Amino acid sequence: MGIKIALAGNPNSGKTTLFNDLTGSNQYVGNWPGVTVEKKDGLLKGHKDVTIQDLPGIYSLSPYSLEERVSRKYLVEERPDAILDIVDGTNIERNLYLTTQLAELGLPMVVAVNMMDLVDKAGDRIDFAKLGKALNCKVVGISATKGQGCADAAQSALEYAAGGRTGEVPHVFTGEVEHAIAHIEESIQGKVPQESIRWYAIKIFERDKDAIAGLELDPELLAHVEEHIKDCEKELEDDAESIITAQRYAFIQKLMARCVTKNEALRRKVRMSDKIDRVLTHRILSIPAFVAALMAMYWLAVSDNGPGTVLTDWANDGLLGDSGWFLPWSGHDSEKEGSAYAGMSWEDASDAYAKPAASIEAYEAGGGEPVEAWLEDEETGEILEDEDGNPEKWTVDAAAYAAAKAVEEPDPHDFGIWIPGAKAVLGGWLDRWGVEEGSMARALVIEGIAGGVFTVLGFVPVIAIVFLFLSFLEDCGYMARVAFIMDRLFRSFGLSGKSFIPMLVGKGCGVPAVLAARSIENQRDQRMTVILATFIPCGAKTVIIAMFSAVFFREWWWVAALMDLFGIAIIILGGIALKKTRAFAGEAAPFIMELPAYHMPTFRNIVIHTWTRVKAYAIKAGVVIFPCCVVLTLMMTFGWRFQVVDDIADSILATVGGWLAWLTAPLGFGTWQGAAASLSAEIAKEQATATLAMVAGGDGSAAANILAMFKDWGGADYKAVAFSFMLFNLFIPPCIVAVVNTFKEMGTRAWGWFAVGFQMFVGYLLALNAYQFGRLATSGAWGVWTAVAVAADLWVLWMIFRPMPKALKEAA
Amino acid sequence: MKTLKDVPVGSSAVVAKLHGEGPVKRRIMDMGIVKGVEITVRKVAPAGDPLELALRGYELSLRKDEAALVEVV
């Protein structure tokens, strides 16, 4: 058994910085049992047997918020060996309020007054000795961002932990209250642990049922005590809880007068933080500043050539892909003498070789017969056009094949420092070990195991970038202002201003969006945000939209924007409807939020924060996602006799798709292909387009084959089927990676199923509407499912627009 | 009854009494809004709600609904 030190303090007091400094990056992040409150601990640097337990940032030890209940439950029940209480020296008055409560627990405690560099700069003075005497614990000054005094503070806490608590808990209340508390202490003597008797006495005085629930105190005793409390309330003309709170602050005010000297001359100068804030929350100027921050976020995570997209593409296609990548800035035109590509860039050379490559591939696939070959657009699967605007096809016979074979293939090594991708390297090894192309072992390793690992790793760049940016926004203090600006709008549909950021992040990727909801303290709001945030079409879903727009809705240029609008509408209407259910009813969580002073975050802090997040994702998510991906990929690659299949129609996935086809029949695509494509989209959403191309078969371009397949399914109503398929894949639960994280963030399995069930319902209903009413409009056909769609729509409208149920209103 | 909600932007008031009950009231008190403290209303958000307050040397944001629970003189 090692020593445990609990790190407690207000939010924005520099607790995380101190924790990072004390433990380094060697941290474990999880959830407190049963709730979605972050639990973080780490070993004290240089001490293998000392654990620092980071408690949630809290303002009080009241029984009302989850974080506070978690913290006090830990402190009271686990009884760490010491408390290290971190206090913001620039905001000492409010910070000491928690300190007075922590002191009552009767645990050895060291108070670390943080931000002493800023306190000194402001010309203020804090008398630690006097403060320590009044609070009966050791008080030290530190500056966590500069790393000053942190180790000493931890050392003091260690010494205190070894020595145990001595002396009395400070008496902060006035005569009559102290008198009542003394009475209570007397009557519970022997019924509670002696060292925390004052804590329990005060909790009884406050009528804090949660704190005394486990004690099983005699009701008669409580009734007797109640008289003392009532007397006290009568005398002071207030309720017990308010008396305690007000007197704590009165005690602190007196303490401040004795121990803190403020430099009034310096104080009158406007602080830098105030100057910044004048702009960032100004009634008018705040808007462009806000838009600029949004655009920065958008560019980082979502835009076509922003770092998020570039890094993700590089990770998936380059680093982990089956070809490779050039070392940055090493690319140059080929200088190889005698080569056909001398003087050309890699892109030009690849373009020049595209046609011979296509000829070779088509001819070899055709098995020696003359075949047609063409080039396809990577995104839409359409045949590329020639100069006259016609699809360009050419015939490859034996002679043309031989000619194509004779064309020199460009070697990437001539164009820069070429690093082969992980799949290419793996393929090379398998070649060397004699594992042949098309063999089961090879498919198992490359498609199954490597594919699964790489799916998990492919998300790392975007998660890292989003969290770098988010932790910057959070650490510098702007995040609170974003919530401040957006609160009014989001409250009108039942969420708070803090839900905005996760939904914005969701445009790029649903996984960090779900994780980002953690910054919302109110659990109801956090859960609702997790359920709703992934409805915004993410980067991968954009691929589906692009493909369907190009193949089916060419004349409807607004389809992509419409999908974003659908996402926003679902969030708004879903929020309104959920708020009227038992699970989410109740008054809007109060928006009582500190607006912390702005400050420049430290680089180290942001990096540790991001690293911890990415590590937690890769380890915990990987454990579940990896096998899921392996299973799905294997289902696609293998047939029932575990043979590698050439035609996906023989695969296990096709059979399973066939079993599920009845489910998607009311949506217009009750075929194994439709179900299998949707199922495979759970690996990663953009897989839907690739699988469609695979299952469509046919001998045209991918786009033409898919078009033909949908015409085959829907006849005249094929557009309705296509629209329904697109909506279904956009709005049912997100990919498996996001689903797994949704389960994690919802806290319990039941809540996870609720989230996924809700998302499934929304996606299914949208697709049902698209097909049933699309069909009605184009061919006038209707059926039982049309009636079901009408009934479901009416029910949903009722859920959205009904008045708040009376029972729930009263409960609130 | 004059509440914090009625205090014009840029001016200050002293808290006289807290109304309401339960978690919201406790939360307001925990943040230092108790009888006798002086509060300055610094700003209103662009959409007209919430408010930005200054008290005890720090800034706090409070919705108008909650500000209406704080009686001031």
PDB file of all heavy atoms in Angstrom, chain A residues 466 470 479 490 496-510 512-520 525-526 529-530 532-534 536 571:
ATOM      1  N   VAL A 466      -7.767  18.227 -33.086  1.00  0.00           N
ATOM      2  CA  VAL A 466      -8.934  18.820 -32.438  1.00  0.00           C
ATOM      3  C   VAL A 466      -8.639  19.084 -30.961  1.00  0.00           C
ATOM      4  O   VAL A 466      -8.956  20.146 -30.433  1.00  0.00           O
ATOM      5  CB  VAL A 466     -10.163  17.905 -32.610  1.00  0.00           C
ATOM      6  CG1 VAL A 466     -11.267  18.324 -31.651  1.00  0.00           C
ATOM      7  CG2 VAL A 466     -10.657  17.964 -34.038  1.00  0.00           C
ATOM      8  N   LEU A 470      -8.749  22.451 -28.884  1.00  0.00           N
ATOM      9  CA  LEU A 470      -9.705  22.567 -27.784  1.00  0.00           C
ATOM     10  C   LEU A 470      -9.008  22.872 -26.473  1.00  0.00           C
ATOM     11  O   LEU A 470      -9.468  23.706 -25.703  1.00  0.00           O
ATOM     12  CB  LEU A 470     -10.510  21.268 -27.636  1.00  0.00           C
ATOM     13  CG  LEU A 470     -11.580  21.021 -28.678  1.00  0.00           C
ATOM     14  CD1 LEU A 470     -12.385  19.800 -28.302  1.00  0.00           C
ATOM     15  CD2 LEU A 470     -12.486  22.222 -28.834  1.00  0.00           C
ATOM     16  N   MET A 479     -13.020  29.383 -24.145  1.00  0.00           N
ATOM     17  CA  MET A 479     -14.117  28.417 -24.207  1.00  0.00           C
ATOM     18  C   MET A 479     -15.317  28.871 -23.379  1.00  0.00           C
ATOM     19  O   MET A 479     -16.460  28.761 -23.813  1.00  0.00           O
ATOM     20  CB  MET A 479     -13.620  27.073 -23.691  1.00  0.00           C
ATOM     21  CG  MET A 479     -14.533  25.936 -24.010  1.00  0.00           C
ATOM     22  SD  MET A 479     -14.427  25.531 -25.727  1.00  0.00           S
ATOM     23  CE  MET A 479     -13.507  24.022 -25.600  1.00  0.00           C
ATOM     24  N   PHE A 490     -28.654  28.217 -27.690  1.00  0.00           N
ATOM     25  CA  PHE A 490     -28.746  26.786 -27.420  1.00  0.00           C
ATOM     26  C   PHE A 490     -29.772  26.467 -26.344  1.00  0.00           C
ATOM     27  O   PHE A 490     -30.331  25.382 -26.324  1.00  0.00           O
ATOM     28  CB  PHE A 490     -27.370  26.218 -27.039  1.00  0.00           C
ATOM     29  CG  PHE A 490     -26.597  25.763 -28.229  1.00  0.00           C
ATOM     30  CD1 PHE A 490     -26.111  26.681 -29.141  1.00  0.00           C
ATOM     31  CD2 PHE A 490     -26.387  24.418 -28.477  1.00  0.00           C
ATOM     32  CE1 PHE A 490     -25.425  26.272 -30.269  1.00  0.00           C
ATOM     33  CE2 PHE A 490     -25.697  23.997 -29.604  1.00  0.00           C
ATOM     34  CZ  PHE A 490     -25.213  24.920 -30.493  1.00  0.00           C
ATOM     35  N   SER A 496     -27.099  23.818 -23.488  1.00  0.00           N
ATOM     36  CA  SER A 496     -26.469  25.028 -23.000  1.00  0.00           C
ATOM     37  C   SER A 496     -25.382  25.450 -23.973  1.00  0.00           C
ATOM     38  O   SER A 496     -25.037  24.722 -24.899  1.00  0.00           O
ATOM     39  CB  SER A 496     -25.904  24.829 -21.605  1.00  0.00           C
ATOM     40  OG  SER A 496     -24.588  24.357 -21.689  1.00  0.00           O
ATOM     41  N   GLY A 497     -24.839  26.634 -23.759  1.00  0.00           N
ATOM     42  CA  GLY A 497     -23.826  27.170 -24.658  1.00  0.00           C
ATOM     43  C   GLY A 497     -22.640  26.249 -24.847  1.00  0.00           C
ATOM     44  O   GLY A 497     -21.961  26.294 -25.868  1.00  0.00           O
ATOM     45  N   LYS A 498     -22.423  25.392 -23.860  1.00  0.00           N
ATOM     46  CA  LYS A 498     -21.252  24.527 -23.933  1.00  0.00           C
ATOM     47  C   LYS A 498     -21.395  23.398 -24.940  1.00  0.00           C
ATOM     48  O   LYS A 498     -20.424  22.717 -25.260  1.00  0.00           O
ATOM     49  CB  LYS A 498     -20.958  23.949 -22.552  1.00  0.00           C
ATOM     50  CG  LYS A 498     -20.518  25.011 -21.596  1.00  0.00           C
ATOM     51  CD  LYS A 498     -20.150  24.426 -20.269  1.00  0.00           C
ATOM     52  CE  LYS A 498     -19.699  25.523 -19.335  1.00  0.00           C
ATOM     53  NZ  LYS A 498     -19.505  25.033 -17.998  1.00  0.00           N
ATOM     54  N   SER A 499     -22.634  23.165 -25.419  1.00  0.00           N
ATOM     55  CA  SER A 499     -22.835  22.079 -26.380  1.00  0.00           C
ATOM     56  C   SER A 499     -22.354  22.471 -27.766  1.00  0.00           C
ATOM     57  O   SER A 499     -22.268  21.628 -28.662  1.00  0.00           O
ATOM     58  CB  SER A 499     -24.318  21.737 -26.473  1.00  0.00           C
ATOM     59  OG  SER A 499     -24.837  21.509 -25.206  1.00  0.00           O
ATOM     60  N   PHE A 500     -22.074  23.732 -27.946  1.00  0.00           N
ATOM     61  CA  PHE A 500     -21.762  24.214 -29.282  1.00  0.00           C
ATOM     62  C   PHE A 500     -20.475  23.619 -29.839  1.00  0.00           C
ATOM     63  O   PHE A 500     -20.434  23.169 -30.985  1.00  0.00           O
ATOM     64  CB  PHE A 500     -21.686  25.740 -29.280  1.00  0.00           C
ATOM     65  CG  PHE A 500     -21.332  26.301 -30.614  1.00  0.00           C
ATOM     66  CD1 PHE A 500     -22.276  26.342 -31.622  1.00  0.00           C
ATOM     67  CD2 PHE A 500     -20.059  26.755 -30.880  1.00  0.00           C
ATOM     68  CE1 PHE A 500     -21.958  26.838 -32.871  1.00  0.00           C
ATOM     69  CE2 PHE A 500     -19.724  27.253 -32.126  1.00  0.00           C
ATOM     70  CZ  PHE A 500     -20.667  27.296 -33.121  1.00  0.00           C
ATOM     71  N   ILE A 501     -19.427  23.624 -29.005  1.00  0.00           N
ATOM     72  CA  ILE A 501     -18.121  23.186 -29.506  1.00  0.00           C
ATOM     73  C   ILE A 501     -18.137  21.726 -29.988  1.00  0.00           C
ATOM     74  O   ILE A 501     -17.678  21.440 -31.092  1.00  0.00           O
ATOM     75  CB  ILE A 501     -17.037  23.415 -28.425  1.00  0.00           C
ATOM     76  CG1 ILE A 501     -16.847  24.913 -28.188  1.00  0.00           C
ATOM     77  CG2 ILE A 501     -15.730  22.761 -28.802  1.00  0.00           C
ATOM     78  CD1 ILE A 501     -16.143  25.657 -29.295  1.00  0.00           C
ATOM     79  N   PRO A 502     -18.688  20.778 -29.204  1.00  0.00           N
ATOM     80  CA  PRO A 502     -18.710  19.401 -29.700  1.00  0.00           C
ATOM     81  C   PRO A 502     -19.408  19.284 -31.052  1.00  0.00           C
ATOM     82  O   PRO A 502     -18.981  18.521 -31.909  1.00  0.00           O
ATOM     83  CB  PRO A 502     -19.494  18.647 -28.619  1.00  0.00           C
ATOM     84  CG  PRO A 502     -19.316  19.435 -27.396  1.00  0.00           C
ATOM     85  CD  PRO A 502     -19.197  20.864 -27.819  1.00  0.00           C
ATOM     86  N   MET A 503     -20.461  20.063 -31.253  1.00  0.00           N
ATOM     87  CA  MET A 503     -21.185  19.948 -32.506  1.00  0.00           C
ATOM     88  C   MET A 503     -20.382  20.518 -33.666  1.00  0.00           C
ATOM     89  O   MET A 503     -20.434  20.018 -34.783  1.00  0.00           O
ATOM     90  CB  MET A 503     -22.525  20.638 -32.381  1.00  0.00           C
ATOM     91  CG  MET A 503     -23.349  19.862 -31.375  1.00  0.00           C
ATOM     92  SD  MET A 503     -24.959  20.440 -31.101  1.00  0.00           S
ATOM     93  CE  MET A 503     -25.503  19.162 -29.949  1.00  0.00           C
ATOM     94  N   LEU A 504     -19.614  21.539 -33.368  1.00  0.00           N
ATOM     95  CA  LEU A 504     -18.736  22.101 -34.400  1.00  0.00           C
ATOM     96  C   LEU A 504     -17.653  21.089 -34.769  1.00  0.00           C
ATOM     97  O   LEU A 504     -17.381  20.847 -35.944  1.00  0.00           O
ATOM     98  CB  LEU A 504     -18.109  23.393 -33.869  1.00  0.00           C
ATOM     99  CG  LEU A 504     -17.113  24.049 -34.801  1.00  0.00           C
ATOM    100  CD1 LEU A 504     -17.845  24.707 -35.946  1.00  0.00           C
ATOM    101  CD2 LEU A 504     -16.269  25.055 -34.065  1.00  0.00           C
ATOM    102  N   VAL A 505     -17.077  20.482 -33.739  1.00  0.00           N
ATOM    103  CA  VAL A 505     -16.040  19.482 -33.972  1.00  0.00           C
ATOM    104  C   VAL A 505     -16.613  18.317 -34.792  1.00  0.00           C
ATOM    105  O   VAL A 505     -15.943  17.735 -35.631  1.00  0.00           O
ATOM    106  CB  VAL A 505     -15.489  18.965 -32.625  1.00  0.00           C
ATOM    107  CG1 VAL A 505     -14.568  17.785 -32.822  1.00  0.00           C
ATOM    108  CG2 VAL A 505     -14.765  20.082 -31.895  1.00  0.00           C
ATOM    109  N   GLY A 506     -17.900  18.026 -34.562  1.00  0.00           N
ATOM    110  CA  GLY A 506     -18.560  16.924 -35.249  1.00  0.00           C
ATOM    111  C   GLY A 506     -18.567  17.061 -36.756  1.00  0.00           C
ATOM    112  O   GLY A 506     -18.676  16.074 -37.472  1.00  0.00           O
ATOM    113  N   LYS A 507     -18.441  18.270 -37.255  1.00  0.00           N
ATOM    114  CA  LYS A 507     -18.375  18.466 -38.702  1.00  0.00           C
ATOM    115  C   LYS A 507     -17.129  17.769 -39.254  1.00  0.00           C
ATOM    116  O   LYS A 507     -17.142  17.258 -40.367  1.00  0.00           O
ATOM    117  CB  LYS A 507     -18.338  19.964 -39.012  1.00  0.00           C
ATOM    118  CG  LYS A 507     -18.425  20.283 -40.486  1.00  0.00           C
ATOM    119  CD  LYS A 507     -19.859  20.200 -40.976  1.00  0.00           C
ATOM    120  CE  LYS A 507     -19.942  20.126 -42.492  1.00  0.00           C
ATOM    121  NZ  LYS A 507     -19.756  18.772 -43.019  1.00  0.00           N
ATOM    122  N   GLY A 508     -16.073  17.768 -38.467  1.00  0.00           N
ATOM    123  CA  GLY A 508     -14.842  17.118 -38.908  1.00  0.00           C
ATOM    124  C   GLY A 508     -14.877  15.630 -38.637  1.00  0.00           C
ATOM    125  O   GLY A 508     -14.693  14.822 -39.528  1.00  0.00           O
ATOM    126  N   CYS A 509     -15.153  15.261 -37.397  1.00  0.00           N
ATOM    127  CA  CYS A 509     -15.139  13.848 -37.031  1.00  0.00           C
ATOM    128  C   CYS A 509     -15.988  13.669 -35.774  1.00  0.00           C
ATOM    129  O   CYS A 509     -15.882  14.461 -34.841  1.00  0.00           O
ATOM    130  CB  CYS A 509     -13.705  13.385 -36.769  1.00  0.00           C
ATOM    131  SG  CYS A 509     -13.610  11.678 -36.224  1.00  0.00           S
ATOM    132  N   GLY A 510     -16.813  12.633 -35.774  1.00  0.00           N
ATOM    133  CA  GLY A 510     -17.702  12.409 -34.649  1.00  0.00           C
ATOM    134  C   GLY A 510     -16.986  11.926 -33.398  1.00  0.00           C
ATOM    135  O   GLY A 510     -17.470  12.119 -32.286  1.00  0.00           O
ATOM    136  N   PRO A 512     -13.875  12.774 -31.886  1.00  0.00           N
ATOM    137  CA  PRO A 512     -13.505  13.838 -30.950  1.00  0.00           C
ATOM    138  C   PRO A 512     -14.710  14.645 -30.479  1.00  0.00           C
ATOM    139  O   PRO A 512     -14.690  15.201 -29.380  1.00  0.00           O
ATOM    140  CB  PRO A 512     -12.529  14.715 -31.738  1.00  0.00           C
ATOM    141  CG  PRO A 512     -12.720  14.365 -33.146  1.00  0.00           C
ATOM    142  CD  PRO A 512     -13.206  12.960 -33.195  1.00  0.00           C
ATOM    143  N   ALA A 513     -15.781  14.704 -31.302  1.00  0.00           N
ATOM    144  CA  ALA A 513     -16.980  15.448 -30.897  1.00  0.00           C
ATOM    145  C   ALA A 513     -17.576  14.825 -29.647  1.00  0.00           C
ATOM    146  O   ALA A 513     -17.896  15.509 -28.669  1.00  0.00           O
ATOM    147  CB  ALA A 513     -18.000  15.457 -32.030  1.00  0.00           C
ATOM    148  N   VAL A 514     -17.697  13.501 -29.673  1.00  0.00           N
ATOM    149  CA  VAL A 514     -18.262  12.784 -28.537  1.00  0.00           C
ATOM    150  C   VAL A 514     -17.378  12.971 -27.302  1.00  0.00           C
ATOM    151  O   VAL A 514     -17.859  13.200 -26.199  1.00  0.00           O
ATOM    152  CB  VAL A 514     -18.410  11.291 -28.910  1.00  0.00           C
ATOM    153  CG1 VAL A 514     -18.647  10.444 -27.701  1.00  0.00           C
ATOM    154  CG2 VAL A 514     -19.542  11.112 -29.909  1.00  0.00           C
ATOM    155  N   LEU A 515     -16.068  12.930 -27.517  1.00  0.00           N
ATOM    156  CA  LEU A 515     -15.134  13.095 -26.393  1.00  0.00           C
ATOM    157  C   LEU A 515     -15.149  14.536 -25.868  1.00  0.00           C
ATOM    158  O   LEU A 515     -14.998  14.768 -24.673  1.00  0.00           O
ATOM    159  CB  LEU A 515     -13.720  12.720 -26.820  1.00  0.00           C
ATOM    160  CG  LEU A 515     -13.491  11.256 -27.219  1.00  0.00           C
ATOM    161  CD1 LEU A 515     -12.102  11.075 -27.793  1.00  0.00           C
ATOM    162  CD2 LEU A 515     -13.696  10.338 -26.034  1.00  0.00           C
ATOM    163  N   ALA A 516     -15.353  15.497 -26.779  1.00  0.00           N
ATOM    164  CA  ALA A 516     -15.294  16.901 -26.378  1.00  0.00           C
ATOM    165  C   ALA A 516     -16.461  17.289 -25.474  1.00  0.00           C
ATOM    166  O   ALA A 516     -16.388  18.281 -24.751  1.00  0.00           O
ATOM    167  CB  ALA A 516     -15.276  17.813 -27.605  1.00  0.00           C
ATOM    168  N   ALA A 517     -17.526  16.496 -25.508  1.00  0.00           N
ATOM    169  CA  ALA A 517     -18.684  16.808 -24.676  1.00  0.00           C
ATOM    170  C   ALA A 517     -18.339  16.717 -23.192  1.00  0.00           C
ATOM    171  O   ALA A 517     -19.107  17.151 -22.338  1.00  0.00           O
ATOM    172  CB  ALA A 517     -19.835  15.867 -25.009  1.00  0.00           C
ATOM    173  N   ARG A 518     -17.180  16.157 -22.888  1.00  0.00           N
ATOM    174  CA  ARG A 518     -16.750  16.046 -21.493  1.00  0.00           C
ATOM    175  C   ARG A 518     -16.665  17.377 -20.774  1.00  0.00           C
ATOM    176  O   ARG A 518     -16.756  17.431 -19.560  1.00  0.00           O
ATOM    177  CB  ARG A 518     -15.358  15.425 -21.447  1.00  0.00           C
ATOM    178  CG  ARG A 518     -15.402  13.979 -21.641  1.00  0.00           C
ATOM    179  CD  ARG A 518     -14.470  13.333 -20.687  1.00  0.00           C
ATOM    180  NE  ARG A 518     -14.818  11.925 -20.636  1.00  0.00           N
ATOM    181  CZ  ARG A 518     -14.064  11.020 -20.068  1.00  0.00           C
ATOM    182  NH1 ARG A 518     -12.929  11.375 -19.522  1.00  0.00           N
ATOM    183  NH2 ARG A 518     -14.451   9.781 -20.039  1.00  0.00           N
ATOM    184  N   SER A 519     -16.414  18.451 -21.517  1.00  0.00           N
ATOM    185  CA  SER A 519     -16.251  19.737 -20.841  1.00  0.00           C
ATOM    186  C   SER A 519     -17.583  20.270 -20.326  1.00  0.00           C
ATOM    187  O   SER A 519     -17.618  21.304 -19.671  1.00  0.00           O
ATOM    188  CB  SER A 519     -15.595  20.748 -21.778  1.00  0.00           C
ATOM    189  OG  SER A 519     -16.456  20.991 -22.867  1.00  0.00           O
ATOM    190  N   ILE A 520     -18.693  19.577 -20.600  1.00  0.00           N
ATOM    191  CA  ILE A 520     -19.996  20.014 -20.093  1.00  0.00           C
ATOM    192  C   ILE A 520     -20.219  19.370 -18.739  1.00  0.00           C
ATOM    193  O   ILE A 520     -20.307  18.145 -18.643  1.00  0.00           O
ATOM    194  CB  ILE A 520     -21.114  19.601 -21.070  1.00  0.00           C
ATOM    195  CG1 ILE A 520     -20.824  20.178 -22.441  1.00  0.00           C
ATOM    196  CG2 ILE A 520     -22.468  20.039 -20.565  1.00  0.00           C
ATOM    197  CD1 ILE A 520     -21.669  19.595 -23.532  1.00  0.00           C
ATOM    198  N   ASP A 525     -26.979  17.472 -19.902  1.00  0.00           N
ATOM    199  CA  ASP A 525     -26.578  18.195 -21.108  1.00  0.00           C
ATOM    200  C   ASP A 525     -25.472  17.452 -21.839  1.00  0.00           C
ATOM    201  O   ASP A 525     -25.442  17.414 -23.070  1.00  0.00           O
ATOM    202  CB  ASP A 525     -26.072  19.600 -20.750  1.00  0.00           C
ATOM    203  CG  ASP A 525     -27.212  20.506 -20.352  1.00  0.00           C
ATOM    204  OD1 ASP A 525     -28.364  20.021 -20.321  1.00  0.00           O
ATOM    205  OD2 ASP A 525     -26.963  21.690 -20.066  1.00  0.00           O
ATOM    206  N   GLN A 526     -24.563  16.876 -21.054  1.00  0.00           N
ATOM    207  CA  GLN A 526     -23.446  16.156 -21.672  1.00  0.00           C
ATOM    208  C   GLN A 526     -23.969  14.961 -22.461  1.00  0.00           C
ATOM    209  O   GLN A 526     -23.582  14.746 -23.599  1.00  0.00           O
ATOM    210  CB  GLN A 526     -22.471  15.706 -20.573  1.00  0.00           C
ATOM    211  CG  GLN A 526     -21.250  14.979 -21.084  1.00  0.00           C
ATOM    212  CD  GLN A 526     -21.325  13.482 -20.834  1.00  0.00           C
ATOM    213  OE1 GLN A 526     -22.250  12.994 -20.207  1.00  0.00           O
ATOM    214  NE2 GLN A 526     -20.367  12.763 -21.348  1.00  0.00           N
ATOM    215  N   THR A 529     -25.768  16.041 -25.591  1.00  0.00           N
ATOM    216  CA  THR A 529     -24.808  16.482 -26.600  1.00  0.00           C
ATOM    217  C   THR A 529     -24.159  15.282 -27.281  1.00  0.00           C
ATOM    218  O   THR A 529     -23.998  15.271 -28.505  1.00  0.00           O
ATOM    219  CB  THR A 529     -23.740  17.374 -25.943  1.00  0.00           C
ATOM    220  OG1 THR A 529     -24.400  18.398 -25.211  1.00  0.00           O
ATOM    221  CG2 THR A 529     -22.846  18.008 -26.975  1.00  0.00           C
ATOM    222  N   VAL A 530     -23.820  14.254 -26.510  1.00  0.00           N
ATOM    223  CA  VAL A 530     -23.213  13.059 -27.102  1.00  0.00           C
ATOM    224  C   VAL A 530     -24.182  12.406 -28.090  1.00  0.00           C
ATOM    225  O   VAL A 530     -23.806  12.025 -29.202  1.00  0.00           O
ATOM    226  CB  VAL A 530     -22.813  12.051 -26.003  1.00  0.00           C
ATOM    227  CG1 VAL A 530     -22.446  10.707 -26.606  1.00  0.00           C
ATOM    228  CG2 VAL A 530     -21.656  12.584 -25.186  1.00  0.00           C
ATOM    229  N   LEU A 532     -26.587  13.788 -29.776  1.00  0.00           N
ATOM    230  CA  LEU A 532     -26.949  14.615 -30.933  1.00  0.00           C
ATOM    231  C   LEU A 532     -25.767  15.035 -31.802  1.00  0.00           C
ATOM    232  O   LEU A 532     -25.936  15.288 -32.994  1.00  0.00           O
ATOM    233  CB  LEU A 532     -27.697  15.865 -30.445  1.00  0.00           C
ATOM    234  CG  LEU A 532     -29.048  15.601 -29.762  1.00  0.00           C
ATOM    235  CD1 LEU A 532     -29.600  16.883 -29.172  1.00  0.00           C
ATOM    236  CD2 LEU A 532     -30.045  14.992 -30.735  1.00  0.00           C
ATOM    237  N   ALA A 533     -24.571  15.118 -31.201  1.00  0.00           N
ATOM    238  CA  ALA A 533     -23.452  15.734 -31.932  1.00  0.00           C
ATOM    239  C   ALA A 533     -23.106  14.993 -33.222  1.00  0.00           C
ATOM    240  O   ALA A 533     -22.721  15.611 -34.212  1.00  0.00           O
ATOM    241  CB  ALA A 533     -22.217  15.823 -31.039  1.00  0.00           C
ATOM    242  N   THR A 534     -23.265  13.661 -33.243  1.00  0.00           N
ATOM    243  CA  THR A 534     -22.831  12.924 -34.435  1.00  0.00           C
ATOM    244  C   THR A 534     -23.841  13.000 -35.577  1.00  0.00           C
ATOM    245  O   THR A 534     -23.636  12.386 -36.617  1.00  0.00           O
ATOM    246  CB  THR A 534     -22.557  11.446 -34.105  1.00  0.00           C
ATOM    247  OG1 THR A 534     -23.661  10.941 -33.361  1.00  0.00           O
ATOM    248  CG2 THR A 534     -21.285  11.296 -33.302  1.00  0.00           C
ATOM    249  N   ILE A 536     -24.400  15.725 -37.155  1.00  0.00           N
ATOM    250  CA  ILE A 536     -23.776  16.609 -38.130  1.00  0.00           C
ATOM    251  C   ILE A 536     -22.924  15.735 -39.049  1.00  0.00           C
ATOM    252  O   ILE A 536     -22.065  15.009 -38.565  1.00  0.00           O
ATOM    253  CB  ILE A 536     -22.884  17.649 -37.411  1.00  0.00           C
ATOM    254  CG1 ILE A 536     -23.725  18.573 -36.542  1.00  0.00           C
ATOM    255  CG2 ILE A 536     -22.048  18.431 -38.399  1.00  0.00           C
ATOM    256  CD1 ILE A 536     -24.446  19.653 -37.273  1.00  0.00           C
ATOM    257  N   ILE A 571     -30.673  18.084 -34.525  1.00  0.00           N
ATOM    258  CA  ILE A 571     -30.150  18.494 -33.228  1.00  0.00           C
ATOM    259  C   ILE A 571     -31.168  19.379 -32.505  1.00  0.00           C
ATOM    260  O   ILE A 571     -31.475  19.170 -31.330  1.00  0.00           O
ATOM    261  CB  ILE A 571     -28.810  19.234 -33.392  1.00  0.00           C
ATOM    262  CG1 ILE A 571     -27.735  18.223 -33.771  1.00  0.00           C
ATOM    263  CG2 ILE A 571     -28.431  19.971 -32.114  1.00  0.00           C
ATOM    264  CD1 ILE A 571     -26.407  18.830 -34.097  1.00  0.00           C
TER     265      ILE A 571
END
